[in-house]
Amino acid sequence: MKNLSEQFEFTPSEWVPFKDKNEINRVAKIKKEEIEKHSNPDFKIKVVPDMDVDYLWITDMFKRIKKASETGERLVMILPNPAPVYRHLARLINACQIDCRNVYAFAMDEYADENGKIAPENWEFGFTNAMMKYFYYEIEEKLRPPKKQIVGFTNQNIQHYSQMIADLGGADICYSGPGWTGHLAFIEPDAPEFQAPLEEWKQLSARICTLSPFTLAQNSLHGCFGKSGNLAAIPPKAATIGPADVINAKNRFDTHAITVHGTSTAWQRFISRLVLHGPVTPLVPESILQTLPTEVYVSETIAQNIETDWSKGY
């Protein structure tokens, strides 16, 4: 006698921002060999070995910094954090004695408390602190740009952070990678501060926003917070650039390579497919990159097919 499994249908939890099950099921079936295919020729997706992703990122940053040194042109970068990989970039700068006086770097985001007070630069768990620690102070002092050109969010500049970038001609390059919600920077799909129709949403600038519970879970696995799932260790709000800052950047470089500390388990495997091949919507903020010239690098582990693994429990 056959044991036929009964159908069991359900609506995604209210906490899940994007709930279109048809689209969810469609992108979940995208195979590794299909990841690179996209209708927008300017949205260039490349699947690469896991170990290559950081090197590609470092190479792009170094190339741009070196060019700015040689030409005297200003270079404006939007940088994600925390990224210990910046130490390797600094080593290359030091080894080649690259003058960084023309470099301007803006932190992509920063934590804030429940009242919207932004974490100070000297808070050891903060993103600005990480940018200074792993990038700025790793560069030989004689090669560093003036400290005022390495900018993080503060309570004083949050209202004109986007304008500061715009006044420099906009970012030359914005580096990014999707969060568990599909957020770009801390532009959360469920944050009340970012609720707007698509065309209006695209014009939103930097602001304080409420972090998603999924982002709290994701960031509780960061090394600085003990990589142990302590949800209470993550501040409830954040300062972040807005969609307009990403759209107005001259170039974008996006990476998809986050696993659970080197295993094949990765919360990013599904959201990367939704970001790269799902509908363009504020409910999946990084999906806006599909409409823009962007270099995308996906690690082989993230590109793996999404398949049931009955041998794994927790």
Side-chain angles (χ1 to χ4, degrees):
M1 181 177 178
K2 289 186 177 180
N3 181 17
L4 298 177
S5 176
E6 291 186 36
Q7 291 297 313
F8 177 62
E9 298 292 338
F10 60 92
T11 299
S13 166
E14 63 177 304
W15 300 109
V16 178
F18 185 81
K19 298 182 175 65
D20 186 331
K21 292 187 74 172
N22 288 332
E23 284 295 315
I24 289 169
N25 292 334
R26 179 183 68 82
V27 301
K29 294 176 183 176
I30 294 174
K31 301 299 183 183
K32 178 180 178 180
E33 57 269 20
E34 301 170 327
I35 290 284
E36 295 183 350
K37 301 174 183 176
H38 199 278
S39 59
N40 179 5
D42 293 326
F43 187 62
K44 300 174 181 178
I45 307 170
K46 182 72 174 175
V47 176
V48 298
D50 289 44
M51 67 179 298
D52 286 9
V53 176
D54 281 351
Y55 290 105
L56 287 162
W57 183 17
I58 292 168
T59 299
D60 191 84
M61 290 187 287
F62 182 73
K63 174 189 70 175
R64 294 177 188 278
I65 292 170
K66 183 173 183 291
K67 180 182 177 184
S69 175
E70 293 172 346
T71 65
E73 296 173 355
R74 183 165 55 204
L75 172 64
V76 182
M77 304 188 294
I78 296 177
L79 298 179
N81 293 282
V85 71
Y86 293 146
R87 292 177 298 183
H88 304 307
L89 172 63
R91 289 189 185 112
L92 287 172
I93 290 169
N94 293 340
C96 297
Q97 291 292 286
I98 304 298
D99 188 336
C100 297
R101 72 178 68 184
N102 299 317
V103 172
Y104 292 74
F106 287 81
M108 179 172 272
D109 38 26
E110 182 59 275
Y111 290 112
D113 70 12
E114 65 278 10
N115 298 312
K117 181 180 178 181
I118 298 170
E121 180 186 317
N122 63 1
W123 188 52
E124 63 177 324
F125 304 112
F127 289 164
T128 303
N129 183 275
M131 183 172 67
M132 302 303 292
K133 176 182 178 181
Y134 294 123
F135 179 49
Y136 187 73
Y137 289 121
E138 287 288 331
I139 300 172
E140 289 181 19
E141 186 171 0
K142 66 180 181 180
L143 302 175
R144 295 174 194 159
K147 189 171 183 291
K148 66 181 180 180
Q149 292 174 200
I150 309 299
V151 186
F153 282 95
T154 68
N155 297 308
Q156 292 71 42
N157 70 20
I158 178 65
Q159 297 301 324
H160 54 276
Y161 201 82
S162 292
Q163 190 59 51
M164 292 168 65
I165 298 173
D167 286 346
L168 291 169
D172 293 293
I173 182 68
C174 178
Y175 297 102
S176 62
W180 205 332
T181 62
H183 71 211
L184 196 171
F186 275 141
I187 304 167
E188 297 278 24
D190 50 358
E193 299 85 359
F194 280 109
Q195 297 307 299
L198 179 60
E199 291 307 312
E200 181 181 338
W201 176 87
K202 288 161 61 175
Q203 300 175 44
L204 298 179
S205 57
R207 65 197 57 220
I208 300 289
C209 79
T210 305
L211 294 181
S212 163
F214 298 107
T215 297
L216 302 184
Q218 174 191 327
N219 288 13
S220 74
L221 300 179
H222 284 187
C224 63
F225 294 118
K227 55 187 179 183
S228 301
N230 181 2
L231 299 175
I234 318 304
K237 294 190 176 184
T240 179
I241 60 170
D245 301 308
V246 179
I247 292 169
N248 292 336
K250 300 177 183 69
N251 299 280
R252 281 150 295 274
F253 188 105
D254 193 49
T255 59
H256 300 240
I258 299 177
T259 65
V260 179
H261 296 283
T263 71
S264 61
T265 299
W267 52 258
Q268 207 173 53
R269 188 171 291 119
F270 169 76
I271 199 63
S272 287
R273 284 165 165 78
L274 190 59
V275 162
L276 301 177
H277 295 288
V280 176
T281 168
L283 294 176
V284 186
E286 256 228 0
S287 63
I288 192 63
L289 297 182
Q290 292 185 52
T291 69
L292 303 165
T294 307
E295 288 186 59
V296 182
Y297 293 95
V298 182
S299 72
E300 290 181 336
T301 297
I302 298 303
Q304 285 177 6
N305 296 342
I306 297 176
E307 298 174 334
T308 301
D309 185 350
W310 293 110
S311 66
K312 296 292 291 183
Y314 285 101

